[in-house]
Amino acid sequence: MVKFMALSLFATVLLLTIGVESFPLMNLYGYVHKDFNTHLYTYNASIIGYAVRGRTGLRNYMSEGIICLLDSDNSGKPFHHYENKENWLENLYTTNTSEVIGKNYEHKGIVGYCYPSQEPHTVPLYRYKKKIEMSAGLNDITDHYYTTDPNKIGLVTPGTTGNNGYTYEGVACFVYNVKYHT
Ligand SMILES: *[C@@H]1O[C@H](CO)[C@@H](O)[C@H](O)[C@H]1NC(C)=O
Ligand SMILES: *[C@@H]1O[C@H](CO)[C@@H](O)[C@H](O)[C@H]1NC(C)=O
């Protein structure tokens, strides 16, 4: 806990230095499931138990470290977290609530606030998807993967598929990019 707070403080000081005015910012932690390679994102690392990259915590999720920083107030748009009602391995994050209308998702909350267009010191948060096959009796799911680093999947052309079978969908929103983990 002290470690998370120290990182947040560091981020705040760093961003103050470069002149960002909306505060405080929150870390968005990324996790990958060790068996299914599906992704989960949260500001609350306690739900898995680790923020340190490479450590595996609850529900067999391994930390991928801090993905980006999000605003904690409503100067941006809410970045909503939805979970597939049939399968908790599928998590969707979007600023567009229309996207889930008529789909089998449960709203799990807001993970932070981000921007529909580029603001000073923000970068695109790229969104990718991949079909994940489940074992017999369970419906296949769609994994949603988010990164500020276009080199991870290797392309940002909508509808094209890159590394690890992920297809680029577009920019989810614009976020603050502070990389502790690369
Ligand atoms: C973070 O998650 C822990 C464990 O589930 C929970 O006890 C705590 O209330 C959560 N904190 C926030 C700010 O959501
Ligand atoms: C939001 O989602 C709806 C349904 O998928 C889509 O028609 C619309 O274009 C989206 N809006 C934006 C701003 O992306």
Side-chain angles (χ1 to χ4, degrees), residues 51-82:
V52 178
R53 193 174 158 87
R55 292 270 180 87
T56 301
L58 300 178
R59 289 190 281 155
N60 219 9
Y61 275 116
M62 185 178 80
S63 172
E64 295 198 311
I66 298 166
I67 304 306
C68 64
L69 301 178
L70 295 177
D71 233 316
S72 62
D73 65 24
N74 58 8
S75 60
K77 285 196 142 198
F79 201 31
H80 297 277
H81 174 199
Y82 294 93

Side-chain angles (χ1 to χ4, degrees), residues 28 30-32 37-41 53 64 67 79 89-93 125-132 142-155 163-172 181-182:
L28 185 69
Y31 296 88
V32 60
N37 295 313
T38 54
H39 292 84
L40 173 75
Y41 301 89
R53 193 174 158 87
E64 295 198 311
I67 304 306
F79 201 31
L89 288 165
E90 179 175 331
N91 295 283
L92 172 71
Y93 301 81
L125 182 65
Y126 301 105
R127 171 176 155 177
Y128 300 86
K129 68 175 180 184
K130 179 186 183 176
K131 192 174 132 185
I132 307 279
T142 301
D143 184 42
H144 299 278
Y145 173 68
Y146 299 82
T147 180
T148 58
D149 182 356
N151 296 317
K152 290 260 170 67
I153 303 303
L155 48 79
N163 300 335
N164 301 319
Y166 279 94
T167 300
Y168 182 63
E169 293 187 278
V171 174
H181 60 284
T182 49

Side-chain angles (χ1 to χ4, degrees), residues 8-26 69-75 115 121 176:
S8 302
L9 183 63
F10 176 68
T12 305
V13 170
L14 183 70
L15 287 163
L16 264 175
T17 311
I18 59 177
V20 173
E21 279 163 27
S22 41
F23 291 102
L25 298 176
M26 293 153 60
L69 301 178
L70 295 177
D71 233 316
S72 62
D73 65 24
N74 58 8
S75 60
Y115 302 95
H121 311 296
Y176 295 105

